Amino acid sequence: MKKSYLYYSIASLAIVASLSSCKSKSGTSEKTGMAYNKREFGGFEVNKKFKRGPGPGLVEIEGGVFVMSGSAINVAGEELSNYNHKRETTVSSFYMDETEVSNTNWLEYLSWIRTTYPTDHEYYYNELPDTLVWRRPLSYNEPYVDNYLRHPAYQDYPVVGVTWEQAERYCAWRTDRVNELLLREKGYMTSFKDKNGGNSNSAAAATTNNSKGAFNTDVYLNGQYDDKGKRAMKDLNPSNAANGATNTGGRSGATRNVRLEDGIIKQPYRLPTEAEWEYAALGLIGNTQYENINANKIYPWNGLGLSSAKKNTRGLILANFKRTKGDYMGVGGSLNDKGGVTVAVRSYMPNDFGLYNMAGNVNEWVADVYRAKTFEAADAFNPYRGNYYKDKKVADPISGKIEIDKYNRPVLTDAKAYKKQTWAEKQAAAPATVTANTYADQRGFRDKANELYGEITLVTDKSRVFKGGSWDDQALWLNPATRRFLQQDESTADIGFRCAMTMLGAPEIRSAGKPQFKPKPARAFKARN
């Protein structure tokens, strides 16, 4: 029986309890016998009530195995497998945007920049989409140049003219805004109402908050953002609690920032990997029963056709694409896909994961660096090409403070080692006199490519994959297996993007009605005389 996409779309709005077979239901360590979350035992804190769920705009994608490029077929003499390499691949569970990022979403980004950095015209200019992508020598597209980004007629249409680099920066900005809203609304930080003059206490709140610069998640987690609200976390560390400090929210006793261990901060928004994107586009979960896929797909919908077979919508095209070299929307009086260029991001029917426009409308940037034969060699679990590992630069090795730039973002440096160094190695690598150039947390290495790339080919380390087909593509490119590339600092009128987020913990999203092993809970330790 086919599972309804509504099941996945609606359920994703709720916060789902994390599944973990390793959790102890006891508030006491089964290894030492000491109680958690008690000041008298040292204040070691363990969150026993963690619940996971997607950030705003995301739906859950339960991962699994699939044949990457397995949907490739022969269309109009073109063998799609030429554009990819068929390989059995497993993708871990993750979250993905229900829709493409729209013009309104991008204008919100620009508005924040203008409000937060009103005199930094360069920052604002660098994030403007290139509306000139609509210009073509032998086409009258000036109305789109002038209106597509800002006019309300296109507010729900996908943003275009955005480079891969701009999309990456938007993901980072979105991460900080979502986490800041979460922390302020729950009272862990000063509320927006108090911070921005919404009540009489706002002046006092502004006086006691000595933080400078825009909120950044990494800087906050490193303890460099001093803003504690009325419900700030109580610090159970005896050495901190003994000072009887009063926080900025007015609570007595020492308080602290939220930590990663509290399970409150959301994971970063990011571009999906190519494997994640293709897996999500196919939506084979709707064709799966007891690990058996009853029907393969060549598009995000079932069947071999491009039009609807349902009674009420029979004959309507299922995506926004170019049917022939000159047919962009059908015949006047009976328009088919109803879009000359792009259409609103919630057009047509979503796939079985609840994702809209995973074929057509706009191509979408993914995270990967392009190489023709990536999937002949890439790992079978979460394959990805483009790793270039970086560490946060340490400004003060004594306090552990990280260096930040003028936008309150961590300064990143190239990672120095592929594994954690010993303390002696770390000290030997540091300058004779400790300076701000000292680096911490050394890990990772570069994903080096053939040095001749970019010299004898058009492919370089800045070539990024895009997928999905667009309003300006014919049906060939609607297949999720197809892949093309563009330089990461270039943009077009037919490439947009959507964000993804890593899902932590168990890959199974819903266990109800499924067979499960039921391990016994850990027993609480009781000391005996």
Side-chain angles (χ1 to χ4, degrees), residues 403-411:
E403 188 170 329
I404 57 177
D405 63 16
K406 65 178 181 178
Y407 301 116
N408 214 38
R409 299 177 300 206
V411 174

Side-chain angles (χ1 to χ4, degrees), residues 134 139-149 151 154:
W134 290 105
S139 181
Y140 178 61
N141 285 343
E142 287 305 296
Y144 299 118
V145 173
D146 296 333
N147 297 294
Y148 182 84
L149 174 64
H151 197 281
Y154 301 107

Side-chain angles (χ1 to χ4, degrees), residues 2 6 44 57 159 252 262 338 346 370-371 492:
K2 183 178 177 181
L6 289 172
F44 175 60
V159 67
S252 61
D262 296 318
K338 307 183 190 303
R346 278 190 170 81
Y370 176 83
R371 293 291 185 270
T492 72

Side-chain angles (χ1 to χ4, degrees), residues 142-420:
E142 287 305 296
Y144 299 118
V145 173
D146 296 333
N147 297 294
Y148 182 84
L149 174 64
R150 299 183 183 274
H151 197 281
Y154 301 107
Q155 63 185 2
D156 295 325
Y157 285 46
V159 67
V160 297
V162 173
T163 67
W164 182 94
E165 293 172 348
Q166 287 177 309
E168 281 275 287
R169 293 195 292 269
Y170 174 87
C171 291
W173 169 83
R174 184 178 173 186
T175 300
D176 293 334
R177 303 290 71 74
V178 167
N179 281 326
E180 182 180 17
L181 176 64
L182 187 156
L183 293 171
R184 293 193 187 282
E185 291 297 298
K186 290 186 177 295
Y188 300 120
M189 292 173 59
T190 305
S191 69
F192 278 115
K193 187 176 181 180
D194 288 345
K195 178 177 180 291
N196 296 326
N199 68 29
S200 58
N201 294 326
S202 59
T207 301
T208 54
N209 176 17
N210 60 12
S211 304
K212 295 181 180 180
F215 175 87
N216 177 272
T217 302
D218 289 325
V219 174
Y220 174 84
L221 287 174
N222 202 53
Q224 294 174 233
Y225 203 91
D226 185 11
D227 183 345
K228 299 181 182 68
K230 296 177 181 179
R231 296 184 180 87
M233 303 290 287
K234 186 178 291 185
D235 193 341
L236 298 179
N237 186 318
S239 60
N240 296 331
N243 61 27
T246 301
N247 76 1
T248 57
R251 291 178 60 190
S252 61
T255 56
R256 62 171 176 82
N257 282 0
V258 168
R259 300 171 182 149
L260 191 63
E261 295 94 316
D262 296 318
I264 294 170
I265 296 289
K266 294 293 183 185
Q267 288 293 295
Y269 285 84
R270 57 178 174 79
L271 291 176
T273 67
E274 182 176 359
E276 287 175 334
W277 194 98
E278 185 174 330
Y279 176 85
L282 278 174
L284 289 174
I285 198 165
N287 300 59
T288 303
Q289 197 171 17
Y290 304 111
E291 285 203 276
N292 296 314
I293 298 175
N294 54 39
N296 283 312
K297 295 178 178 179
I298 58 174
Y299 303 113
W301 53 83
N302 285 329
L304 303 178
L306 297 165
S307 58
S308 174
K310 295 183 179 180
K311 183 177 180 180
N312 294 337
T313 56
R314 186 166 296 159
L316 291 182
I317 297 297
L318 291 168
N320 180 20
F321 68 101
K322 185 169 61 174
R323 288 197 295 183
T324 62
K325 292 183 178 180
D327 183 358
Y328 284 83
M329 58 185 179
V331 178
S334 184
L335 296 182
N336 204 307
D337 69 23
K338 307 183 190 303
V341 286
T342 59
V343 294
V345 295
R346 278 190 170 81
S347 300
Y348 313 108
M349 294 296 292
N351 73 357
D352 287 319
F353 278 122
L355 304 172
Y356 288 85
N357 290 304
M358 293 300 283
N361 209 23
V362 288
N363 290 288
E364 297 180 17
W365 288 116
V366 297
D368 293 57
V369 168
Y370 176 83
R371 293 291 185 270
K373 298 184 181 296
T374 289
F375 298 101
E376 291 184 8
D379 287 355
F381 182 71
N382 289 335
Y384 167 69
R385 179 183 287 277
N387 287 315
Y388 194 103
Y389 298 100
K390 289 179 176 288
D391 295 328
K392 301 179 188 71
K393 188 175 182 180
V394 176
D396 182 359
I398 305 301
S399 66
K401 288 187 176 181
I402 56 178
E403 188 170 329
I404 57 177
D405 63 16
K406 65 178 181 178
Y407 301 116
N408 214 38
R409 299 177 300 206
V411 174
L412 301 177
T413 59
D414 292 342
K416 307 295 183 182
Y418 71 94
K419 65 179 182 179
K420 180 181 177 182

Side-chain angles (χ1 to χ4, degrees), residues 25-79:
K25 294 182 179 179
S26 169
T28 303
S29 169
E30 60 179 298
K31 304 301 183 187
T32 66
M34 291 190 178
Y36 302 142
N37 308 319
K38 297 287 186 180
R39 185 172 297 148
E40 58 265 35
F41 290 104
F44 175 60
E45 298 179 56
V46 177
N47 181 4
K48 292 295 183 180
K49 298 180 180 180
F50 166 65
K51 294 182 178 181
R52 72 179 181 193
L58 303 172
V59 298
E60 298 155 327
I61 310 294
E62 185 167 288
V65 64
F66 81 117
V67 177
M68 192 153 186
S69 194
S71 61
I73 58 167
N74 187 293
V75 178
E78 291 279 2
E79 179 59 45

Side-chain angles (χ1 to χ4, degrees), residues 482-521:
T482 58
R483 58 201 303 257
R484 290 173 284 182
F485 70 91
L486 187 71
Q487 298 303 92
Q488 65 185 42
D489 56 358
E490 297 179 356
S491 60
T492 72
D494 62 357
I495 299 180
F497 73 102
R498 72 181 74 208
C499 302
M501 178 186 285
T502 299
M503 181 185 295
L504 303 181
E508 186 174 62
I509 293 175
R510 294 170 189 85
S511 58
K514 301 175 184 177
Q516 303 285 339
F517 291 109
K518 295 183 179 180
K520 293 181 180 180

